Amino acid sequence: MDERYAFRDIEARWQARWEAERTFRAEDLSELPKHYGLEFFPYPSGAGLSVGHCRNYVPTDAYFRFKSMCGFNVLHPMGWDAFGQPAENEAIKRGRNPREMVPEYAASYRQTLRRIGASYDWSREIDSSRPDYYQWTQWFFLLLYHRGLAYRASTPINWCPACKTGLANEEVEQGRCWRCETTVEKRPMPQWYFRITDYAERLLADLETIDWPDGIKQMQREWIGRSEGADVDFAVAGRSETIRVFTTRPDTLWGATFMVLAPEHPLVELITVPERRAEVDAYVRRASTETDIDRMSAERAKTGIDTGARAVNPVTGEPIPIWVADYVLMGYGTGGIMAVPAHDQRDFEFARRYGIRIDLVYAHPEGPRSGEEMARALPDGGSMLDFTPAPGARTPKAPFAGLPNDRATVRKVIAWLEEHGVGTGRVYYRLRDWLISRQRYWGAPIPIVHCGACGEVPVPERDLPVLLPDVDQYEPSGTGESPLAAIPAFVSTACPACGGAARRETDTMGGFACSSWYFLRFADPHNASAFADRRLVDYWLPVDTYVGGAEHAVMHLLYARFWTKVMHDAGLLAFSEPFSRLRNQGTVLAYTLGRRPRLGERADGEDGGEGIVDWIVLRPDERESCPPDQVVFRWVKMSKSKGNVVTPDEIAERYGADSLRLYLLFVAPFEDNVQWSDEGVHGAHRFASRAWRWCVSAMRAQTRSAPADAARGVRARRKLHQTIEKVTAGLEGFRFNTAAAALMELVNELYLYRPADAEPGADASDPAIVSEALDALVLLIAPFMPHMADELWSRLGREGSTYRAAWPRHDPAVAAEERVTVVVQVNGKLRDRVEVAAGASEEDTRAAALASPRIAELLAGRTVRKVVVVPGRLVNVVAN
RNA sequence: GCCCAGGUGGUGAAACUGGUAAACACGCUAGAUUCAGGUUCUAGUGCCCGCAAGGGCUUGGAGGUUCGAGUCCUCUCCUGGGCACCA
């Protein structure tokens, strides 16, 4: 009877040993090639880590252990994204100080990560809310400031009346606060911005240089939103003003039969004719009170009003009406558009509704020849018509008649417009500057002083950090000002320039500031005189493998890329992209019972899931009384408020951390969502025990010799080398599930060769083969089940952890199959299989297939038209 | 509406470049073994017809290309995610 797999003892023992021996310490400036592996640093929440979080941390841990075994000097650090609103909101809810909460929660996270065998170098732990960290966040703010990339502007900001704070554009979803779903209002407020728009082109272009999922790159491209076209100036008839518009289709200028200005456009006031003024004013006023949701609803019929003013189409010379309509936005382009109803569906609908002329620019020979005949706009196709300009035109007759409706024509038209001084080729971006300031307590204070005499003065570097004061009251003030504004000792200071009385800036930086550079700090986390030593940054960075959830696909990643480029430009970094390779893990979903909400009912979650929702978690005491037709079943992300959290600790207690790890690696491809199942863990546990039994029994076998079953030995050895190859490729490609499947196949094969219950001397296995398999298997399972692997490794008499052991190599000669099965098809239908030597030629393969009695029988009396041979794979006989 | 990712057994899934569809697991069925056991082992398990040999069908649906399609092309339906009057 073999020893049982005592995972609780083994795991506790090895965790203690790894810690005591500092097994996962990364070595600065080592001779070895480095691999910097990083997961998005978490915000430590009171809810603790669930197995859902492990879906991120376990596969990456397996990968980084694998890299270490492959001879890389691995940096695998962990830290806490502790500043920001999640932490502050939780502190407010619990009536506690975030300063005390963060270390407690971090300790709990650290404990759980240790429990699942994660290989972090804890000597590099960082906490973004500590002065020794945010001092450098402030330092970077000053760097941006001095480079002209941080500025203060008073703009109407999004104001959430419930959170009593300003929101970035990115934090507003469909006109509502992304956190509490309250309708967002507009409020003028001086705010700090980072000029990320200066980097739009580079942020777009450099996406080509990095290994990221295509979907994420695409989302970034759309966020940046580059569009190419031309600025065109329209003269206002009878006035000196001109209206500048941006268009992606300057080639359709000949069909621009009206213009539309956004209601907020400054020219509306100036150009509206007296007799239309009252109506236009009323329309503008109505538009300003409408919520964004109403205004952005695409279903709503377009409304607008004629200003009575006329513009002159520069190429046709025709006067065209100028309208005001709320579907044109002041925040994009120039706030005004030229409308071409013949070739833009939106303009077409508007023109039809208000009886505006529709002129074709492109037409098909057999298509409609006039606006009246059209049922809808023709955005593409056709060839350009011939136009004769009216006397008011600023250009001569255009030479484009007959050209196709494509980008080449657009480019020709732009060149021609430039030549005649009517338009200029231009690129617009949807990307807007990054609103960085928050009127919140829990963030890094912005290191600026406002002086009556000197104005805005940056805090000198030697005076950093600007410490966040300890306070009792850190709730948002509700006046729109930061709680810091209520602390005289913080606010009043001396001007660094003139020494006179001055006021500190009281806004803090949003959490994205801290997370835009933290990956640099891990290179040198305790440095007190710089954000990091240049040599260490040059050695460790950029991050080789960065892994996290797709929910950060745009903002965090874009901001981190931006900061990196700024630092690169400042000569601080040799590289300009922070994350060479990015991967996104899937989410763990857990089954949850809920009910339909009552009218107007809101959910009030502990950690997310607040607001208006279409279902509400059923409390245990409601389960009986809830009418069946009101019950809903949902697979949702684990969270405390959903009551569906499974903790790693409970699973590790029952099945062991190694079984949990194997389960998470095996269930599904890394990037897929998975539905949590206890049974799945049980299956993983079975494999773990099975592997353990085989190894333990194989160790006893080594000491004796017996007549060997040579053929089986060759098979077992071949399988071993094939498995090394598969697992190596699988880990490198983040295909953990198939790598684990390969391990299972290997263990199944080894059981056939030497059953785990074989008595010493009774089986026919070759000790040399068993020993080779044992060594390799222990190393192969190490990234998956490191505790078990280290225990077995030490029992094999090896020193230290498998973490520092060399990853096994496969011998292609041993892995190669001697004979292969070739499939024989007749007219594409599988009819027989024949065995041939592995390297058999096309002729031999064909001959073997045709020699099959079954095939001969099937072909009797038929004519063979063709025989397709794929050596090593199949033969397909095409017959009548 | 637009963009992205997906639809494969009872379940999670596998199939790198077109070449044996369903590897590996979970579950289920039968047998053996042991026990205090949620143990272990062996065999079976896509669907339909058939006692069997064997045959037919099958990767959301419909067409197409090919000797051959889960994989390529066209259309279409469904699911998940993102963006949304962007000029």
Side-chain angles (χ1 to χ4, degrees):
Chain A
M1 203 35 221
D2 277 315
E3 178 194 338
R4 289 199 51 175
Y5 168 43
F7 58 86
R8 287 189 198 86
D9 293 348
I10 292 171
E11 291 178 355
R13 186 144 34 84
W14 282 97
Q15 284 159 12
R17 224 177 122 177
W18 293 333
E19 194 161 276
E21 295 180 1
R22 297 170 175 162
T23 305
F24 311 122
R25 274 273 165 106
E27 191 196 336
D28 286 330
L29 307 173
S30 128
E31 291 297 304
L32 293 171
K34 63 96 185 180
H35 190 93
Y36 184 179
L38 187 65
E39 296 104 350
F40 292 11
F41 74 155
Y43 139 68
S45 133
L49 284 173
S50 72
V51 292
H53 296 96
C54 300
R55 177 94 179 110
N56 182 355
Y57 302 129
V58 164
T60 46
D61 188 69
Y63 182 73
F64 301 135
R65 282 176 176 270
F66 164 70
K67 291 309 269 188
S68 170
M69 295 173 77
C70 288
F72 286 89
N73 179 28
V74 170
L75 171 57
H76 185 202
M78 178 48 77
W80 318 112
D81 187 11
F83 262 153
Q85 292 190 22
E88 183 172 318
N89 289 345
E90 188 162 338
I92 291 169
K93 194 171 281 178
R94 289 169 195 256
R96 299 200 48 197
N97 189 322
R99 214 180 280 272
E100 293 162 13
M101 279 170 44
V102 169
E104 273 174 38
Y105 293 173
S108 144
Y109 271 42
R110 211 183 303 117
Q111 169 60 31
T112 304
L113 288 170
R114 188 175 177 268
R115 182 83 200 257
I116 61 168
S119 59
Y120 293 108
D121 179 351
W122 287 109
S123 72
R124 295 176 188 253
E125 182 179 350
I126 60 174
D127 170 349
S128 67
S129 69
R130 290 184 32 166
D132 61 352
Y133 182 89
Y134 70 72
Q135 160 177 14
W136 299 106
T137 308
Q138 292 172 337
W139 188 86
F140 283 121
F141 178 96
L142 293 175
L143 177 79
L144 271 91
Y145 183 83
H146 291 303
R147 297 182 70 80
L149 294 168
Y151 65 95
R152 195 166 182 244
S154 188
T155 47
I157 61 142
N158 303 305
W159 172 260
C160 173
C163 302
K164 294 191 168 109
T165 182
L167 299 172
N169 287 320
E170 294 84 354
E171 294 170 335
V172 181
E173 287 166 354
Q174 308 202 327
R176 290 165 183 274
C177 171
W178 70 345
R179 218 165 292 106
C180 67
E181 299 190 35
T182 305
T183 300
V184 171
E185 300 168 358
K186 296 277 183 194
R187 260 200 195 193
M189 181 108 40
Q191 295 282 332
W192 285 94
Y193 288 89
F194 286 152
R195 217 180 286 281
I196 191 172
T197 49
D198 277 10
Y199 283 73
E201 193 59 49
R202 281 165 69 190
L203 288 167
L204 188 65
D206 289 355
L207 285 172
E208 304 307 319
T209 68
I210 47 184
D211 174 13
W212 287 21
D214 289 338
I216 303 286
K217 287 192 188 183
Q218 193 51 34
M219 282 164 78
Q220 294 228 340
R221 281 186 203 109
E222 272 169 28
W223 194 266
I224 295 166
R226 182 183 202 274
S227 57
E228 221 173 291
D231 277 342
V232 180
D233 288 325
F234 285 67
V236 181
R239 299 188 63 99
S240 58
E241 286 87 6
T242 59
I243 300 173
R244 169 160 296 191
V245 299
F246 172 67
T247 172
T248 54
R249 296 297 307 272
D251 56 316
T252 61
L253 193 46
W254 287 269
T257 53
F258 64 105
M259 301 187 74
V260 186
L261 299 179
E264 303 86 354
H265 198 292
L267 280 177
V268 172
E269 182 77 33
L270 282 169
I271 62 170
T272 301
V273 299
E275 53 274 26
R276 310 279 320 156
R277 181 159 304 262
E279 272 183 83
V280 170
D281 283 353
Y283 183 84
V284 169
R285 220 171 311 118
R286 193 160 1 104
S288 71
T289 59
E290 277 181 324
T291 64
D292 286 2
I293 327 161
D294 290 338
R295 224 175 128 174
M296 289 195 297
S297 162
E299 280 85 61
R300 199 178 61 152
K302 290 166 189 31
T303 64
I305 188 152
D306 190 350
T307 62
R310 296 291 174 264
V312 181
N313 182 319
V315 295
T316 65
E318 304 279 353
I320 59 174
I322 303 171
W323 286 64
V324 175
D326 61 6
Y327 77 88
V328 174
L329 308 174
M330 200 57 220
Y332 183 76
T334 63
I337 61 164
M338 67 175 213
V340 184
H343 301 293
D344 181 282
Q345 184 59 26
R346 210 177 22 178
D347 296 344
F348 180 85
E349 285 165 21
F350 194 87
R352 267 289 147 81
R353 179 171 171 146
Y354 292 106
I356 302 170
R357 217 174 77 213
I358 298 171
D359 286 355
L360 281 156
V361 178
Y362 292 97
H364 290 283
E366 68 284 6
R369 304 299 290 187
S370 75
E372 292 82 62
E373 293 170 31
M374 297 176 75
R376 68 180 68 84
L378 302 170
D380 38 43
S383 54
M384 205 188 281
L385 300 171
D386 201 15
F387 297 97
T388 306
R394 286 154 61 194
T395 58
K397 187 170 160 52
F400 304 117
L403 289 187
N405 186 350
D406 61 18
R407 286 314 290 179
T409 303
V410 174
R411 277 192 291 274
K412 282 179 201 155
V413 171
I414 291 175
W416 185 82
L417 292 174
E418 285 182 340
E419 188 187 323
H420 293 92
V422 169
T424 319
R426 241 204 100 159
V427 173
Y428 270 88
Y429 299 92
R430 182 161 37 214
L431 184 69
R432 276 165 289 188
D433 276 341
W434 168 12
L435 173 63
I436 185 70
S437 54
R438 297 298 131 93
Q439 293 71 50
R440 288 284 216 161
Y441 170 70
W442 193 235
I446 291 177
I448 292 286
V449 169
H450 301 284
C451 169
C454 314
E456 198 176 272
V457 183
V459 172
E461 213 179 290
R462 61 171 186 279
D463 292 343
L464 295 182
V466 176
L467 283 172
L468 183 65
D470 252 321
V471 291
D472 301 328
Q473 188 70 16
Y474 49 84
E475 279 89 348
S477 63
T479 63
E481 273 194 306
S482 158
L484 296 179
I487 306 168
F490 176 80
V491 175
S492 25
T493 185
C495 170
C498 69
R503 241 184 93 80
R504 265 191 205 289
E505 170 65 56
T506 57
D507 283 359
T508 55
M509 285 185 254
F512 281 125
C514 310
S515 58
S516 291
W517 74 277
Y518 76 104
F519 45 91
L520 299 171
R521 187 65 174 171
F522 284 127
D524 190 13
H526 308 297
N527 195 322
S529 58
F531 71 87
D533 182 88
R534 178 68 193 257
R535 279 167 62 237
L536 295 175
V537 172
D538 283 348
Y539 176 75
W540 285 117
L541 275 286
V543 175
D544 296 284
T545 305
Y546 195 39
V547 182
E551 66 274 15
H552 295 290
V554 179
M555 285 178 264
H556 160 58
L557 291 170
L558 197 66
Y559 296 153
R561 294 180 62 219
F562 165 60
W563 274 43
T564 302
K565 288 180 191 306
V566 173
M567 289 182 226
H568 171 81
D569 292 353
L572 298 170
L573 303 176
F575 53 94
S576 63
E577 281 293 335
F579 315 120
S580 305
R581 179 160 88 143
L582 176 76
R583 292 292 180 265
N584 298 121
Q585 84 279 3
T587 312
V588 177
L589 306 175
Y591 202 54
T592 309
L593 271 180
R595 63 171 171 81
R596 304 197 182 288
R598 291 181 268 275
L599 203 65
E601 191 177 14
R602 297 167 56 85
D604 53 334
E606 274 281 305
D607 47 329
E610 286 180 77
I612 299 163
V613 288
D614 65 346
W615 69 289
I616 282 178
V617 178
L618 261 183
R619 293 194 309 270
D621 60 291
E622 291 178 308
R623 299 233 167 109
E624 294 298 312
S625 56
C626 185
D629 63 321
Q630 295 295 301
V631 175
V632 290
F633 304 87
R634 292 282 163 90
W635 283 99
V636 292
K637 202 168 165 174
M638 285 184 186
S639 77
K640 214 174 169 186
S641 65
K642 298 285 188 296
N644 61 355
V645 172
V646 179
T647 68
D649 302 80
E650 64 190 274
I651 299 300
E653 178 55 31
R654 237 164 106 196
Y655 297 105
D658 281 343
S659 299
L660 170 63
R661 290 173 64 106
L662 185 73
Y663 165 73
L664 290 170
L665 291 161
F666 179 64
V667 249
F670 178 67
E671 61 281 1
D672 284 11
N673 291 344
V674 302
Q675 300 175 345
W676 174 261
S677 114
D678 279 358
E679 279 153 4
V681 188
H682 184 240
H685 180 70
R686 257 172 48 178
F687 172 73
S689 313
R690 201 168 138 83
W692 171 264
R693 278 197 306 276
W694 188 84
C695 291
V696 169
S697 126
M699 282 184 210
R700 288 186 305 148
Q702 282 184 89
T703 52
R704 49 105 272 243
S705 64
D709 178 338
R712 289 206 144 182
V714 168
R715 264 219 337 253
R717 221 173 147 233
R718 183 187 302 141
K719 189 75 177 178
L720 175 68
H721 284 260
Q722 288 172 345
T723 305
I724 295 171
E725 188 179 9
K726 273 194 199 165
V727 173
T728 307
L731 286 172
E732 193 50 61
F734 269 56
R735 293 186 301 272
F736 305 102
N737 56 331
T738 50
L743 282 176
M744 291 173 183
E745 282 187 59
L746 172 62
V747 171
N748 289 345
E749 182 71 36
L750 293 175
Y751 260 78
L752 291 179
Y753 183 50
R754 184 181 195 285
D757 56 3
E759 288 303 316
D763 72 292
S765 54
D766 176 341
I769 293 176
V770 170
S771 170
E772 180 188 3
L774 194 50
D775 277 3
L777 178 63
V778 168
L779 294 169
L780 288 175
I781 65 170
F784 301 80
M785 302 189 287
H787 308 87
M788 183 193 290
D790 275 13
E791 176 68 17
L792 292 168
W793 194 239
S794 87
R795 290 186 185 203
L796 283 167
R798 308 304 174 90
E799 286 299 312
S801 167
T802 54
Y803 188 79
R804 302 280 171 193
W807 187 251
R809 302 178 72 92
H810 84 284
D811 180 342
V814 178
E817 296 283 349
E818 281 159 15
R819 298 190 67 77
V820 291
T821 303
V822 167
V823 171
V824 188
Q825 297 178 332
V826 176
N827 289 340
K829 291 220 177 278
L830 175 65
R831 288 292 122 114
D832 200 9
R833 296 176 167 88
V834 293
E835 273 221 338
V836 298
S841 68
E842 196 173 320
E843 293 74 43
D844 292 349
T845 306
R846 175 203 303 252
L850 295 175
S852 145
R854 255 183 68 70
I855 298 301
E857 194 184 318
L858 276 163
L859 292 176
R862 301 166 76 177
T863 317
V864 173
R865 291 228 183 83
K866 187 175 170 187
V867 181
V868 180
V869 181
V870 183
R873 278 235 129 95
L874 65 49
V875 175
N876 187 13
V877 184
V878 186
N880 66 337

